[in-house]
Amino acid sequence: MATLHEYLFVSGLLFAIGLAGVIARRNIIVIFMCLEMMLSAANLTLVAFSRFNTAETGLPDYDGQMLVFFIITVAAAEVAVGLAIIVALYRARQTVNVNDLTSLRG
Amino acid sequence: MDITWLLFLLPIASAAIGWLLLNKQHTLAAYLSTASVIATFVISVSMLLAGKDTQASFNWASVGDFHVKIGFMADQMARGMMIVVTGVGMLVHVFSLPYMKKDAAKARYFACLSLFMFSMTGIVLSDNFLMTFMFWELVGLSSYLLIGHWYQKESAADAAKKAFLTNRIGDFGFMIGILMIWGIAGSVSFAGIADWASHVGTLTPLMTATLGAATLCIFCGAIGKSAQMPLHVWLPDAMEGPTPVSALIHAATMVAAGIFMMVRFFTCFETGEAHGAPEADHAAVSLIPSFAWTTIAVIGIVTSLAAAFMATQQDDIKKILAYSTLSQLGYMVMAVGLQGSEASMFHLYTHAWFKALLFLGSGAVIYACHHEQNIWKMGGLLKKMPITAITFLIATLALAGFPMTAGFFSKEQILHVANHQGGMLFFIPTVLVAILTTFYMFRLVFVVFFGKNRSENAEHAHEVGPLMFIPLIALTVMAVIAGYEGIAGQMAPLFHHEKVNFGSIEFLSSIGAFIVGLVLAFVFYFNKDEDKLSGNVLSKVFANKFYIDEFYAKLVRVFQDAVAAVVHFFDEILIGGILVGGLSRSAAGFGALFRRLHSGNLQGYATLFGAGALLIIYLTVFVF
Amino acid sequence: MLLALVFIPIAAAIAIWAGSPARLTAIVAGIINLVLGLIAASSWLTNPEIGSVTYSVLSKPDIALSFSLYDGMSVVMLLLSVIVLAAAVFSGQCPAGREKLWYSNTLLIAAGAIGAFLSDDLFFFYAFHELALIPTFILIGTLGRRNRKAAAWKITIYLAFGSMVLLAGLLWLVSATEVSSLSFDTLLAASIPGEAQKGIAALLLIGFGTLISLFPFHSWAAPAYASAPAPVAMLHAGVLKKFGLYGLIRLFPLVSEGMQHWLIVLIVLLLGNIIWVGFVTLNQKRLDTMLGNSSVMHMGYVFLAIAALIAAGGEGNSLAIPAAVTLMFAHGVSIALLFALADKVEKQTGTLELQELGGLASKAPTLAFFFGLAGMASIGLPGLANFSGEILVFLSGFANYDPAKGFGPVQIATIIALWGVVISAVYMLRAFRQTFQGPEASSVKSAKNLSLLELAPIGLLTLALLAVGLYPNLILQLLK
Amino acid sequence: MPAFYLEIALVVLGLVLLMVEAFGPSKSKTYLGWLSLTGVLAIFAALFTVCPSASCSCDQLTRFYEFDSQAKFYKGFALITTALVILLSLEYRGTIKKFTTGTEEGSGEFYILPLFACAGMMLMASAKDLISIFVAIELVTITFYILVAYMRRNVGSLEAGVKYLILGALSTGILVYGIAWIYGITGTTELALIAERIPSLEGSRAPLLFGLALMVLAIGFKIGAVPMQLWIPDVYQGAPTPITAFLSVGSKAAGFAVALRLFEPFFGASLTSGPLLSLLLVLAALTILVGNLAALAQKNFKRLLGYSSIANAGFLLLAMAAWQPQGSESALSTYEVVSFYLITYLIMTMAAFFFLVTVYNTTGKETIASFNGLAKRNPLLALIGTIILSSLAGLPLTAGFYGKFYVFKSAISAASSGHPALWWAIAFGLVGAAAGFYYYFQTIRAMYWNDPKDPSKIPVSKISLALLVIAALALVVFGFYPQPLLDLAAAK
């Protein structure tokens, strides 16, 4: 069985890839996807910790997994709102490139 | 209340009333002022006749048990001096009545004269140094106001400013001296200092040096007020003021204040007298180190000699008298420095009368010649205005030390001190000054009163009115009799003098100097229309006062104005620009940098977020 | 009564704002305040509790809006404030239509000063001073002359910076005393460990120093005063600037040890004020900047007294504080008078460039008389208040002089500082000579003499100068 | 009544109003604003009838939800803020109308959505478990995504919305990742348990601090601390002004409420207190510096308020860096200092936004130059503006001073008793406060020194006028008599 460290390594990697994507990509949709990836990384971390942190009863500590559900729910809401905003933006500006969004600055 | 307070109150009241309330009623102000000075003269005389030392004071400023007092100490020296001050003052007031008759600002003039009388009274009667200093400054103020009486004239305004500022430089030293004396003796009152001096015993070398330094600092005040080298430059310029003012302030009284103050100071150390032990006469005086004495004496004789040389080549009648005054003050200072306070005060006292007379006489001449001051544009005035001429001549004789005039006795004393206390090094210059004095004074007399009229103004001159010549005559009387023991001894014991020894070297050199000077003047100037001696290098140097004024002007320009400009420049550049401006610029610079971080670019933000997050994590986990 | 002294100007400002006739209201308020102030001061001698009020406004730490005449220094400063305020409301040339702004802000500045001097609670002492900041900013920037905007910025930023440093110092002081109340009584009864004193003293010196225009934090003062409308210059240079000195002296006992560390620094800085700024003043070509710089310069003398106080250490120097306070009063009155008069000069001639002036005395002799008098006062002529202060300052410099040991730093500083008396005489007489004497310049051709109404504030200030100058015990008896 | 009924009531109210909006009359939507305002006020009144958790017999939600004096304070704070925001929205409706559908029809939700945000903030005030903290924060954040981008015909609003969305989601990612690590190391999401367990976690110091740093960063996003402040100026500038006000007051205060709860266990243990203190100190210093200095040359008043809100966050962080859980006779605890600061901040900032909206409604601009000559156009408004700005600058005798006073006081007393590194932060704080004078005075200067382009009068609506007058009076009165504010902040 994979050890905790391996899970953490993978999830860390996932988080880093997500962050790198947010930084490197210019398309807002892609950036948004990368953000979701970061949330998934956190989910993976939580699940891993939950699996390896045993409670007094000997069972895994389910708090972490509970939080994962919350995160998934929130992410869904976020995506719904986020995509709506991005669509509105596209309708107004015909672009989803972040480099075009610099009217507010200084 | 002691009647002496009136000496303060009357003049200040008349000054205030005259200036503030009567500035429209000029004549009334003039009479008020004159009346007040006559009253003070009467009081002074009565005090002199009463012959009683009086003293009173009140706390002017008190902090805890420290008090600055205002009061008076009417001892014999002060009483005698008061006669000089109020006497000459009274005559000058009277002389001024006609002299300033047509002046538009007569009220101000007389108010200032009254203010001067008040201030001078303060110096004379003061019982402590702080009070002296206050009135010292006030005297400076009244002198400033009177020199600048015709302030619309550039030269008068400049001269007034110069006088005040030069005096300020002296007062800078004076104040330091007072502070040091206060530190050393623990008191600023003359009685307190005397008390300290008589009890202190011997001093450590540091204390002695400090006392010497303090003495010289105090002397700085006298240098300023009595116009000694190197602060003498203001006095000739001060002749821009009305001539009666020159007579009163810049010849007879104020300039003598420096001498008076030094004598007052040194008297504190003559504990022998205070404690009735004549043999210890100079015991406490020796507290003051010799370098201080020598410096004072040297400054005195150098001033005296230099001024005498300058006087020989001046063409302005008042300037000649001014340099003569300088020269005579130098005499007095030298005598003070040679520990001959008696001689110094004696000369001060006689000099006051005949120098005031000379100035008033010159005033009469100037008045008669429609404000012509160049002696080469006068001439032959003896016939036009005989009273003035004769009184002037008598005053000249007195100044030159013609036997049996007042000046003769006092000059004798000075020569005596120079010879006995100073030795040849001082005696020879002193005699030289005596020769020069006779020479330039008779140059003046010959050119102005003899020969022919050299200008229209001189041709139309005529004798002045009684209000003017009565003071002249009164002063003439004093110029003749003031030196005799009967009169001088009345004034104060300090004027006491030894009998003239007709065989002594002093007497012979005095007579010799008079004759040499007279002959030279006669040869070169009698009945001449131009100055034969002018034109050579030496006389140019004399006429231009050794170029000291020019040198000072440069000095001021370089060391004051240039430094001020440089400092101002640095103040703006260094402090305003770099220090403070730099701070605000760097704040603004950082602000601009921070603003640039907010570039509006989402990608940039994400990058900065990430970088910042990494930095924070690094710091938190590995550094803190 | 003290409450009234603070709030009458504020109420008047509000009334003006709400529409009552501006000038009249301001003058009435100024005069009422003057009368109240004189009454309070004279009755303080017999009843030191006169008019004290205390309203607790905060419990943690214990802060109270509390006014009292804490000691003679407060009384003198109160007198200074009311006198200058009464003169200030009469002075200056308010542009038509801006009376509301002009008079209400003037009153607010004064309220700030009076409040600060009357507060016996450290908090309100500090706070009231800041009250004046905004009106000053607005008035200089809106109605000032020449580089008004730059000058207003400068003064505001400097003072804000100074206040911030000061705030830090005061807060440190409070936390070091470990008392819960900020009233002077409690604070001054506490003590501060030596270690903290050093830092607190430094912050106080910089903070107060900036407010007093201590070298090298002085460059705000001259341009601001030069640009300010007359009442602002009068109140600020005359009264508000004394706040810093008042504070330093008031809090000095708490940090006397710490101050020792900075004695030499302070001496160098104060000589910077006197000599450096003195030279800067010499080089001014305008009457207003000259006066502005001169007021900076003269602060050096008050600092000299403070330096003497510091140097005395445990021995004590009973002269220093009365000297400083007397000089503060004198300087406040004289500089206010000078600014009022300079304003009149500008009114009559339309310029303050010394080059363009000349011979004004023959057109306006009264103006010349008072300007000369004020100028003479500021250069320390006996008989006028400044001399009383200066002489005491110099004496305090030598009060602890031991001739057997030679000069200490304070004595040397005193001697150098004395040269400043020469410098100030030079620039003042130069300015007087250039402005009033000599032949008439073209700018003065149409000048007129002072009117009787204009004379009122000038006469008041002159009276104060003369009274204290002729008999300084008037002030000194309050400072026992 | 258990406290969480309030949040439920608020959410229900929001849902009901949304229904009303959807099916009710469509001509005018202002009545929705009034309704929602009434609801908020009613719930605010109900807040005082709630019993504290300790004495409450109910046991629902006890793991996630705390109702103590602090929670009560921040709930009240959120409600008042929301009420004011709704009022401000009503004032602002002209602009909303213009940039949505062009009619009133599009503005209905604008009055209702703040209710959800408010419910989120109230939850944040009470959350005491990482899970509830996360949920509460997200409720607020997602609502704000919509509100910021509400004016969908306004490019600025949309741009701000997108920026807020991306960066907000990024901070969410960071937050959950941090939570995951903390949970992983301590084995719990309950703050109380975390506090118990930290001392025994000597061996896991690095991962613990890693998680902590991530959470600080995420909270930093909410409150606008460097380096997570970058979004603030842009979003503040682009968002509808009432929402800017909401973000700047409500969201920030809720962020601090969470921060206080969240940091408490970490401050309590010596293992983490040192690093956390140093971290906060550095953040405080940088935040103060960036906020204040970047504002110096700002020309847009709304954006200026954005920087100002960063600066204020810096001062609050400084107070937190000088952590002092217990007050004393002469000093306030950190909780009280922060609460006190936030009260004054609420008054001044909301007043400033009302002031801005009033001027904006006439001039149509948000630049500092649009205040030119206000002293002539509307002297009363100029006077009020001067008081507000002075208070923001922290001038004594205005309420705004006391906040800074307490911050510096606690920082200085911490610095002089064992944390000398704080002197640096204090020094930066002083520089920042002095710089603050400069940029707030820029606007005063515009009002008084400059002449208006258009000298016509500026009208003020009755509501705004009343609120502005009350606010200005409050600032001055509390400037002289701050005790009521202290009582509020220190209420038990």
Side-chain angles (χ1 to χ4, degrees), chain B residues 59-62 151-152 154 158 168 172 182 210 560-561 564 568 571 580, chain C residues 158 218 276 279 283 362 379 395 401 419 421 430 433 438-439 469-470 472-473:
Chain B
N59 291 338
W60 179 73
S62 15
Y151 58 82
Q152 295 91 338
E154 299 266 12
D158 286 334
R168 261 281 153 133
F172 161 70
W182 183 52
T210 315
Q560 181 181 289
D561 296 357
H568 186 197
D571 191 60
V580 176
Chain C
Y158 263 93
H218 64 279
W276 176 279
F279 273 113
N283 204 40
S362 33
I379 62 179
L395 287 169
Y401 166 54
W419 186 254
V421 175
R430 244 187 213 181
R433 155 86 182 78
L470 291 176
N473 270 346

Short mmCIF file of all heavy atoms in Angstrom, two decimals, chain B residues 59-62 151-152 154 158 168 172 182 210 560-561 564 568 571 580, chain C residues 158 218 276 279 283 362 379 395 401 419 421 430 433 438-439 469-470 472-473:
data_model
loop_
_atom_site.label_atom_id
_atom_site.label_comp_id
_atom_site.label_asym_id
_atom_site.label_seq_id
_atom_site.Cartn_x
_atom_site.Cartn_y
_atom_site.Cartn_z
N ASN B 59 13.80 94.28 43.14
CA ASN B 59 14.01 93.08 42.34
C ASN B 59 13.29 93.22 41.02
O ASN B 59 12.07 93.36 40.97
CB ASN B 59 13.48 91.85 43.07
CG ASN B 59 14.32 91.54 44.27
OD1 ASN B 59 15.49 91.95 44.33
ND2 ASN B 59 13.75 90.84 45.21
N TRP B 60 14.06 93.15 39.97
CA TRP B 60 13.49 93.30 38.63
C TRP B 60 13.03 91.94 38.11
O TRP B 60 11.97 91.80 37.56
CB TRP B 60 14.54 93.90 37.74
CG TRP B 60 14.13 94.11 36.33
CD1 TRP B 60 13.27 95.05 35.85
CD2 TRP B 60 14.58 93.37 35.19
NE1 TRP B 60 13.16 94.95 34.50
CE2 TRP B 60 13.95 93.93 34.06
CE3 TRP B 60 15.46 92.32 35.01
CZ2 TRP B 60 14.18 93.44 32.77
CZ3 TRP B 60 15.69 91.84 33.73
CH2 TRP B 60 15.05 92.40 32.62
N ALA B 61 13.86 90.98 38.32
CA ALA B 61 13.49 89.62 37.94
C ALA B 61 14.00 88.70 39.02
O ALA B 61 15.18 88.75 39.37
CB ALA B 61 14.12 89.24 36.61
N SER B 62 13.11 87.90 39.59
CA SER B 62 13.60 86.99 40.62
C SER B 62 13.15 85.57 40.33
O SER B 62 12.01 85.31 39.96
CB SER B 62 13.13 87.41 42.01
OG SER B 62 12.11 88.34 41.92
N TYR B 151 16.75 109.52 8.78
CA TYR B 151 16.87 108.17 8.21
C TYR B 151 16.60 108.13 6.71
O TYR B 151 16.91 107.17 6.05
CB TYR B 151 15.90 107.22 8.92
CG TYR B 151 14.47 107.64 8.85
CD1 TYR B 151 13.71 107.35 7.73
CD2 TYR B 151 13.87 108.34 9.90
CE1 TYR B 151 12.40 107.76 7.64
CE2 TYR B 151 12.56 108.76 9.81
CZ TYR B 151 11.82 108.46 8.68
OH TYR B 151 10.52 108.86 8.59
N GLN B 152 16.00 109.21 6.18
CA GLN B 152 15.75 109.19 4.74
C GLN B 152 17.05 109.21 3.97
O GLN B 152 17.10 108.79 2.83
CB GLN B 152 14.89 110.40 4.32
CG GLN B 152 13.50 110.39 4.90
CD GLN B 152 13.43 111.13 6.24
OE1 GLN B 152 14.45 111.30 6.92
NE2 GLN B 152 12.24 111.55 6.61
N GLU B 154 20.42 107.80 2.98
CA GLU B 154 21.02 106.47 3.00
C GLU B 154 22.19 106.42 3.99
O GLU B 154 22.31 105.49 4.80
CB GLU B 154 21.57 106.11 1.61
CG GLU B 154 20.53 106.08 0.52
CD GLU B 154 19.97 104.68 0.31
OE1 GLU B 154 20.21 103.80 1.15
OE2 GLU B 154 19.26 104.50 -0.69
N ASP B 158 22.56 104.01 7.19
CA ASP B 158 23.64 103.02 7.24
C ASP B 158 24.53 103.22 8.45
O ASP B 158 24.94 102.26 9.10
CB ASP B 158 24.47 103.10 5.96
CG ASP B 158 23.72 102.51 4.79
OD1 ASP B 158 22.86 101.64 5.03
OD2 ASP B 158 23.98 102.91 3.65
N ARG B 168 26.97 95.88 19.07
CA ARG B 168 26.47 94.55 19.41
C ARG B 168 27.63 93.55 19.52
O ARG B 168 27.63 92.67 20.37
CB ARG B 168 25.53 94.06 18.30
CG ARG B 168 24.08 94.26 18.64
CD ARG B 168 23.62 93.18 19.57
NE ARG B 168 22.52 93.66 20.37
CZ ARG B 168 21.39 92.98 20.57
NH1 ARG B 168 21.23 91.81 20.03
NH2 ARG B 168 20.46 93.48 21.35
N PHE B 172 28.48 91.40 22.73
CA PHE B 172 28.62 89.94 22.73
C PHE B 172 29.69 89.54 23.73
O PHE B 172 29.47 88.70 24.61
CB PHE B 172 28.97 89.50 21.30
CG PHE B 172 29.58 88.14 21.19
CD1 PHE B 172 28.84 87.00 21.42
CD2 PHE B 172 30.92 88.00 20.82
CE1 PHE B 172 29.41 85.75 21.29
CE2 PHE B 172 31.49 86.75 20.69
CZ PHE B 172 30.74 85.62 20.93
N TRP B 182 30.06 86.39 36.82
CA TRP B 182 29.01 85.85 37.68
C TRP B 182 29.41 84.46 38.15
O TRP B 182 29.26 84.11 39.32
CB TRP B 182 27.69 85.80 36.90
CG TRP B 182 26.53 85.34 37.72
CD1 TRP B 182 26.15 85.83 38.93
CD2 TRP B 182 25.61 84.30 37.39
NE1 TRP B 182 25.04 85.16 39.37
CE2 TRP B 182 24.68 84.22 38.46
CE3 TRP B 182 25.47 83.43 36.32
CZ2 TRP B 182 23.64 83.30 38.46
CZ3 TRP B 182 24.43 82.52 36.32
CH2 TRP B 182 23.53 82.45 37.38
N THR B 210 40.97 82.51 33.75
CA THR B 210 39.56 82.76 33.48
C THR B 210 39.18 84.19 33.84
O THR B 210 38.46 84.86 33.10
CB THR B 210 38.68 81.79 34.29
OG1 THR B 210 39.23 80.49 34.17
CG2 THR B 210 37.28 81.77 33.77
N GLN B 560 30.36 86.95 6.21
CA GLN B 560 28.98 86.93 6.66
C GLN B 560 28.05 86.66 5.51
O GLN B 560 27.35 85.66 5.48
CB GLN B 560 28.65 88.25 7.33
CG GLN B 560 27.25 88.30 7.85
CD GLN B 560 27.00 89.63 8.46
OE1 GLN B 560 27.52 89.96 9.51
NE2 GLN B 560 26.23 90.43 7.76
N ASP B 561 28.13 87.50 4.52
CA ASP B 561 27.18 87.34 3.42
C ASP B 561 27.46 86.08 2.62
O ASP B 561 26.55 85.33 2.29
CB ASP B 561 27.22 88.59 2.53
CG ASP B 561 26.77 89.80 3.29
OD1 ASP B 561 26.37 89.62 4.47
OD2 ASP B 561 26.81 90.92 2.77
N ALA B 564 26.66 83.18 4.70
CA ALA B 564 25.20 83.07 4.81
C ALA B 564 24.62 82.49 3.54
O ALA B 564 23.75 81.62 3.58
CB ALA B 564 24.60 84.45 5.08
N HIS B 568 22.75 79.05 3.44
CA HIS B 568 21.38 79.02 2.96
C HIS B 568 21.24 77.98 1.84
O HIS B 568 20.30 77.19 1.81
CB HIS B 568 21.00 80.41 2.45
CG HIS B 568 19.56 80.52 2.05
ND1 HIS B 568 19.07 81.52 1.29
CD2 HIS B 568 18.51 79.71 2.32
CE1 HIS B 568 17.79 81.36 1.08
NE2 HIS B 568 17.41 80.27 1.71
N ASP B 571 21.36 74.69 3.30
CA ASP B 571 20.14 74.44 4.06
C ASP B 571 19.05 73.91 3.14
O ASP B 571 18.32 72.99 3.49
CB ASP B 571 19.67 75.75 4.73
CG ASP B 571 18.58 75.49 5.74
OD1 ASP B 571 18.85 74.75 6.68
OD2 ASP B 571 17.48 76.03 5.57
N VAL B 580 15.53 65.72 3.95
CA VAL B 580 14.07 65.61 4.02
C VAL B 580 13.48 65.27 2.67
O VAL B 580 12.68 64.34 2.53
CB VAL B 580 13.49 66.94 4.53
CG1 VAL B 580 11.98 66.86 4.52
CG2 VAL B 580 14.00 67.23 5.91
N TYR C 158 5.44 67.65 7.77
CA TYR C 158 6.41 67.70 8.87
C TYR C 158 5.72 67.53 10.22
O TYR C 158 6.16 66.75 11.06
CB TYR C 158 7.12 69.05 8.87
CG TYR C 158 8.45 69.06 8.17
CD1 TYR C 158 8.55 69.41 6.84
CD2 TYR C 158 9.63 68.76 8.85
CE1 TYR C 158 9.77 69.45 6.20
CE2 TYR C 158 10.84 68.80 8.21
CZ TYR C 158 10.91 69.14 6.89
OH TYR C 158 12.11 69.18 6.26
N HIS C 218 13.78 71.80 10.64
CA HIS C 218 13.22 73.14 10.70
C HIS C 218 12.68 73.64 9.37
O HIS C 218 12.05 74.67 9.32
CB HIS C 218 14.31 74.10 11.16
CG HIS C 218 15.44 74.18 10.17
ND1 HIS C 218 16.43 73.23 10.14
CD2 HIS C 218 15.70 75.04 9.18
CE1 HIS C 218 17.27 73.52 9.17
NE2 HIS C 218 16.85 74.60 8.56
N TRP C 276 23.44 78.25 12.37
CA TRP C 276 23.15 77.84 10.98
C TRP C 276 21.93 78.57 10.44
O TRP C 276 21.97 79.24 9.43
CB TRP C 276 22.97 76.31 10.94
CG TRP C 276 22.58 75.76 9.62
CD1 TRP C 276 21.33 75.70 9.08
CD2 TRP C 276 23.45 75.15 8.65
NE1 TRP C 276 21.36 75.10 7.85
CE2 TRP C 276 22.65 74.74 7.56
CE3 TRP C 276 24.82 74.89 8.60
CZ2 TRP C 276 23.17 74.10 6.44
CZ3 TRP C 276 25.33 74.25 7.48
CH2 TRP C 276 24.51 73.87 6.42
N PHE C 279 22.43 82.20 9.96
CA PHE C 279 23.04 82.57 8.69
C PHE C 279 22.04 82.47 7.55
O PHE C 279 22.04 83.30 6.63
CB PHE C 279 24.27 81.70 8.41
CG PHE C 279 25.52 82.24 9.02
CD1 PHE C 279 26.16 81.60 10.05
CD2 PHE C 279 26.05 83.43 8.55
CE1 PHE C 279 27.31 82.12 10.62
CE2 PHE C 279 27.21 83.96 9.10
CZ PHE C 279 27.84 83.30 10.15
N ASN C 283 20.52 85.59 4.89
CA ASN C 283 20.51 85.58 3.44
C ASN C 283 19.12 85.73 2.85
O ASN C 283 18.95 85.57 1.66
CB ASN C 283 21.16 84.28 2.95
CG ASN C 283 21.70 84.43 1.55
OD1 ASN C 283 22.27 85.47 1.23
ND2 ASN C 283 21.52 83.43 0.72
N SER C 362 8.65 107.31 6.46
CA SER C 362 8.14 108.67 6.32
C SER C 362 6.66 108.66 5.94
O SER C 362 5.94 109.59 6.26
CB SER C 362 8.95 109.45 5.28
OG SER C 362 9.41 108.59 4.27
N ILE C 379 15.41 91.20 18.84
CA ILE C 379 16.85 91.05 18.96
C ILE C 379 17.30 91.28 20.39
O ILE C 379 18.50 91.37 20.66
CB ILE C 379 17.62 91.98 17.99
CG1 ILE C 379 17.34 93.44 18.27
CG2 ILE C 379 17.24 91.66 16.57
CD1 ILE C 379 18.09 94.35 17.35
N LEU C 395 21.90 83.36 31.69
CA LEU C 395 22.28 83.14 33.09
C LEU C 395 22.12 81.67 33.45
O LEU C 395 22.97 81.09 34.13
CB LEU C 395 21.44 84.02 34.01
CG LEU C 395 21.78 85.52 33.98
CD1 LEU C 395 20.73 86.31 34.72
CD2 LEU C 395 23.14 85.77 34.58
N TYR C 401 27.95 76.79 36.33
CA TYR C 401 29.34 76.92 35.87
C TYR C 401 30.27 76.92 37.08
O TYR C 401 30.09 77.68 38.03
CB TYR C 401 29.46 78.21 35.07
CG TYR C 401 30.86 78.68 34.81
CD1 TYR C 401 31.80 77.84 34.21
CD2 TYR C 401 31.24 79.98 35.12
CE1 TYR C 401 33.08 78.28 33.96
CE2 TYR C 401 32.51 80.44 34.86
CZ TYR C 401 33.44 79.58 34.28
OH TYR C 401 34.70 80.03 34.03
N TRP C 419 26.62 84.71 20.12
CA TRP C 419 26.91 85.30 18.82
C TRP C 419 25.64 85.44 18.00
O TRP C 419 25.53 86.32 17.15
CB TRP C 419 27.96 84.47 18.08
CG TRP C 419 28.37 85.15 16.82
CD1 TRP C 419 28.03 84.80 15.56
CD2 TRP C 419 29.16 86.34 16.71
NE1 TRP C 419 28.56 85.69 14.66
CE2 TRP C 419 29.25 86.65 15.33
CE3 TRP C 419 29.78 87.18 17.63
CZ2 TRP C 419 29.95 87.76 14.86
CZ3 TRP C 419 30.47 88.29 17.15
CH2 TRP C 419 30.55 88.56 15.79
N VAL C 421 22.98 86.57 18.98
CA VAL C 421 22.39 87.87 19.27
C VAL C 421 22.92 88.90 18.28
O VAL C 421 22.19 89.80 17.83
CB VAL C 421 22.72 88.27 20.72
CG1 VAL C 421 22.23 89.66 20.99
CG2 VAL C 421 22.10 87.29 21.68
N ARG C 430 19.03 95.18 9.23
CA ARG C 430 19.09 95.24 7.78
C ARG C 430 17.69 95.36 7.21
O ARG C 430 17.42 96.20 6.35
CB ARG C 430 19.70 93.95 7.25
CG ARG C 430 21.00 94.14 6.55
CD ARG C 430 21.40 92.83 5.94
NE ARG C 430 22.83 92.72 5.95
CZ ARG C 430 23.48 91.68 5.46
NH1 ARG C 430 22.83 90.66 4.96
NH2 ARG C 430 24.79 91.65 5.47
N ARG C 433 16.18 98.70 8.08
CA ARG C 433 16.83 99.71 7.27
C ARG C 433 16.28 99.68 5.85
O ARG C 433 15.95 100.71 5.26
CB ARG C 433 18.33 99.42 7.28
CG ARG C 433 19.13 99.91 6.13
CD ARG C 433 19.55 101.34 6.36
NE ARG C 433 20.29 101.85 5.23
CZ ARG C 433 19.75 102.26 4.08
NH1 ARG C 433 18.45 102.20 3.93
NH2 ARG C 433 20.50 102.72 3.11
N GLY C 438 15.95 105.11 4.48
CA GLY C 438 16.44 105.43 3.16
C GLY C 438 15.38 106.17 2.37
O GLY C 438 14.30 106.47 2.89
N PRO C 439 15.69 106.49 1.13
CA PRO C 439 14.71 107.22 0.31
C PRO C 439 13.51 106.34 -0.02
O PRO C 439 13.61 105.12 -0.01
CB PRO C 439 15.50 107.57 -0.96
CG PRO C 439 16.71 106.71 -0.94
CD PRO C 439 16.95 106.25 0.45
N GLY C 469 8.79 93.14 29.63
CA GLY C 469 10.16 93.64 29.47
C GLY C 469 10.57 94.56 30.59
O GLY C 469 11.70 94.48 31.10
N LEU C 470 9.65 95.40 30.98
CA LEU C 470 10.01 96.37 32.02
C LEU C 470 10.02 95.71 33.39
O LEU C 470 10.80 96.09 34.25
CB LEU C 470 9.02 97.54 32.01
CG LEU C 470 9.13 98.43 30.77
CD1 LEU C 470 8.07 99.51 30.80
CD2 LEU C 470 10.51 99.07 30.69
N PRO C 472 9.86 91.87 34.46
CA PRO C 472 9.67 90.43 34.19
C PRO C 472 9.09 89.67 35.38
O PRO C 472 8.56 88.58 35.20
CB PRO C 472 11.06 89.93 33.85
CG PRO C 472 11.99 91.01 34.21
CD PRO C 472 11.23 92.29 34.25
N ASN C 473 9.16 90.24 36.55
CA ASN C 473 8.57 89.54 37.68
C ASN C 473 7.08 89.30 37.51
O ASN C 473 6.50 88.44 38.15
CB ASN C 473 8.84 90.29 38.98
CG ASN C 473 10.14 89.83 39.61
OD1 ASN C 473 10.68 88.80 39.22
ND2 ASN C 473 10.64 90.58 40.57
#
